[in-house]
Amino acid sequence: MLWVKSLHIVFITSWFAGLFYLPRIFVNLAQETDPTSTTRLLMMARRLYRFTGILSLPAVALGLWLWLGYGIGKGPGNGWLHAKLALVVLVIGYHHACGSLLKKFENGRNVRSHTWYRWFNEVPVLLLLAIVILVVVKPF
């Protein structure tokens, strides 16, 4: 079980690293006026989005293995797991929202400012903080 848990943590960390950086690229894209730089940033964003999508699969699969295979979070007094799973669904939704925003940039239809993307960039930090607190403290 410790191997599965260790790999789960590594893949979660890698997935979140991409979710921290991708909106930062969006900040730069929202400010960029040079077409060559825009093309380069779009290429970086596409690759990062694709790679973080790949990383999310083993992260979620290993989490399910811990939950269903080893019974982590089952039984009474494990409401923290339900809250954590709800936040994981929000993380997956955030990831897909990044994909939608990327498509808008690719199609030249971005209407949001760099300031909006700076705030959007803070969402995964808050989600990760809440998830870690739920897993470590298990408040309910």
Side-chain angles (χ1 to χ4, degrees), residues 27-89:
V27 170
N28 294 330
L29 277 167
Q31 292 178 306
E32 193 56 65
T33 56
D34 176 47
T36 304
S37 296
T38 299
T39 301
R40 182 178 31 55
L41 288 168
L42 282 172
M43 181 186 66
M44 290 170 57
R46 264 187 237 110
R47 287 180 180 172
L48 183 59
Y49 180 72
R50 192 175 311 119
F51 189 62
T52 55
I54 292 168
L55 290 170
S56 70
L57 298 175
V60 170
L62 290 164
L64 288 171
W65 188 354
L66 288 168
W67 178 36
L68 301 172
Y70 291 109
I72 291 179
K74 291 186 179 176
N78 287 305
W80 63 270
L81 182 66
H82 299 286
K84 179 203 172 200
L85 292 174
L87 292 175
V88 169
V89 169

Side-chain angles (χ1 to χ4, degrees), residues 72-121:
I72 291 179
K74 291 186 179 176
N78 287 305
W80 63 270
L81 182 66
H82 299 286
K84 179 203 172 200
L85 292 174
L87 292 175
V88 169
V89 169
L90 290 177
V91 172
I92 292 168
Y94 181 87
H95 189 145
H96 286 287
C98 285
S100 295
L101 293 168
L102 176 57
K103 285 183 184 182
K104 288 181 181 178
F105 275 113
E106 290 174 329
N107 296 325
R109 294 191 340 246
N110 174 54
V111 295
R112 303 194 188 276
S113 71
H114 66 92
T115 305
W116 187 89
Y117 287 107
R118 288 178 197 280
W119 284 104
F120 182 74
N121 192 33

Side-chain angles (χ1 to χ4, degrees), residues 1-11 58 62-63 65-66 70 72:
M1 175 173 74
L2 293 178
W3 282 101
V4 176
K5 191 182 289 188
S6 297
L7 289 172
H8 178 61
I9 292 168
V10 167
F11 280 105
L62 290 164
W65 188 354
L66 288 168
Y70 291 109
I72 291 179

